[in-house]
Amino acid sequence: MKLSRLGMVSLGLVLVATPVFAQADKVVAKVDGIAITEREIGLATEDLGERLAQLPDERKRDEVINYLVDLKLGARAAIAAKTADGPDFAARLAYFREKVLLDQYLTAEGKKAATPEAARKLYDETTKAMAPEEEVNARHILVEDEAQAKAVAERLKKGEDFAKVAAELSKDPGSGKEGGSLGWFTKDRMVPEFAEVAFKLDKGQVSDPVKSQFGWHVIKVEDKRSKPLPDFAMVKPQIDQYLERKAQQDIIVGLREKAKVERLDQPAAPATPAPAEPKKP
């Protein structure tokens, strides 16, 4: 018997997919004979979210299975109590059915939009439009008053090592132990008084004492550069997320634009009068 090309493809998909579905439907536990499957564990894990995030990894699976045991037992008790027979249950079921349908639809459509080509295009367009931003790599020594700052500056002029003096005298709890190192930073990350001086200094230059809200600083610029662009691989997850959310938003906006929405709980808007015809000449 010969199979068409389409038939062979379909058969291949079945052969590939069967082990996947079989694995998802694998029964991993039972409660009073009611099966709990691997697929249900995956759904419950997604649903529990933050609750599981607080637990160590080795406890998460047990927590999910215990939750599903309670869910199965509770659902059986609810059926016995005829909870499903009331109108409130039917309304809730209809609401959550629509919610799950929308979530599944938007998730699938969003992933279609986040293609490698679309991600690269957005990255290239965004980075091309970014203006080069200057960064400085600097150290500082923070002291309480101007007299101390002048004394520090004098020691540095006599050739003492900046990092050693910083480790000895700086009041900055973050950088003091690191020889005053602040690493690379852009101008907007520092208080204005500090940034203005730091970005005017040349590489290797040491400032005069500078006052800020934190005290008195003596600054040394180690290096200067244009801020490097973010690597594509590092920002791709954020780009994909943006593309997915934008596609989802566009879908919702498009659906709403095509729909006729009537608010029956509000008075009808007054009809807009037709514009008067212009007078004939």
Side-chain angles (χ1 to χ4, degrees):
M1 179 178 69
K2 293 184 178 180
L3 288 174
S4 67
R5 182 178 179 83
L6 179 60
M8 293 176 68
V9 171
S10 300
L11 178 60
L13 290 174
V14 170
L15 292 174
V16 170
T18 299
V20 176
F21 287 120
Q23 179 66 24
D25 291 330
K26 178 183 176 183
V27 176
V28 296
K30 290 184 178 181
V31 50
D32 286 348
I34 306 171
I36 295 173
T37 66
E38 197 70 55
R39 186 191 302 276
E40 290 175 311
I41 289 176
L43 292 171
T45 300
E46 181 181 344
D47 183 39
L48 292 173
E50 292 183 5
R51 174 173 162 182
L52 292 179
Q54 311 301 321
L55 297 175
D57 290 342
E58 62 271 15
R59 283 185 52 197
K60 289 180 180 178
R61 187 175 176 86
D62 287 341
E63 181 71 15
V64 173
I65 292 176
N66 288 336
Y67 168 79
L68 286 169
V69 166
D70 295 341
L71 184 65
K72 299 288 185 184
L73 294 174
R76 185 175 66 179
I79 291 170
K82 300 187 182 301
T83 302
D85 295 346
D88 183 61
F89 177 81
R92 285 177 177 272
L93 190 62
Y95 168 79
F96 282 107
R97 180 178 183 275
E98 290 182 341
K99 184 175 185 298
V100 172
L101 278 170
L102 177 60
D103 288 346
Q104 292 279 80
Y105 172 63
L106 290 179
T107 297
E109 294 302 309
K111 290 189 181 302
K112 290 179 186 178
T115 63
E117 296 78 15
R120 171 56 75 172
K121 181 181 178 184
L122 180 59
Y123 173 83
D124 290 342
E125 290 174 351
T126 304
T127 53
K128 185 178 180 181
M130 291 173 65
E133 190 174 12
E134 189 179 18
E135 278 190 318
V136 162
N137 187 333
R139 298 177 183 270
H140 82 136
I141 299 170
L142 176 65
V143 292
E144 294 179 355
D145 56 50
E146 186 178 11
Q148 289 177 303
K150 288 181 176 179
V152 166
E154 192 61 33
R155 289 176 61 176
L156 295 172
K157 287 178 182 178
K158 292 179 179 178
E160 290 195 50
D161 182 71
F162 194 100
K164 288 183 179 179
V165 177
E168 176 190 343
L169 299 177
S170 182
K171 303 298 182 183
D172 184 342
S175 70
K177 294 179 181 179
E178 303 297 326
S181 178
L182 298 169
W184 289 99
F185 56 88
T186 52
K187 199 169 187 178
D188 60 336
R189 286 184 55 197
M190 297 296 172
V191 293
E193 304 89 344
F194 186 101
E196 284 298 325
V197 173
F199 278 81
K200 287 179 180 177
L201 294 174
D202 294 326
K203 179 179 176 179
Q205 192 175 1
V206 177
S207 75
D208 293 327
V210 179
K211 186 181 181 182
S212 80
Q213 65 196 69
F214 301 105
W216 286 81
H217 311 260
V218 177
I219 307 165
K220 179 183 180 182
V221 168
E222 298 283 0
D223 205 353
K224 302 177 88 168
R225 69 179 182 186
S226 290
K227 185 177 180 180
L229 295 173
D231 182 69
F232 175 69
M234 289 182 63
V235 297
K236 187 175 182 299
Q238 292 95 307
I239 294 175
D240 287 344
Q241 186 179 65
Y242 169 82
L243 290 170
E244 289 176 17
R245 289 182 176 176
K246 185 178 185 306
Q248 292 165 356
Q249 185 180 43
D250 290 346
I251 288 171
I252 294 297
V253 170
L255 291 173
R256 185 176 276 268
E257 287 177 347
K258 295 175 184 177
K260 179 183 178 182
V261 179
E262 298 178 85
R263 288 293 303 269
L264 305 181
D265 60 337
Q266 295 179 354
T272 304
E277 291 187 10
K279 294 181 180 180
K280 296 180 179 179

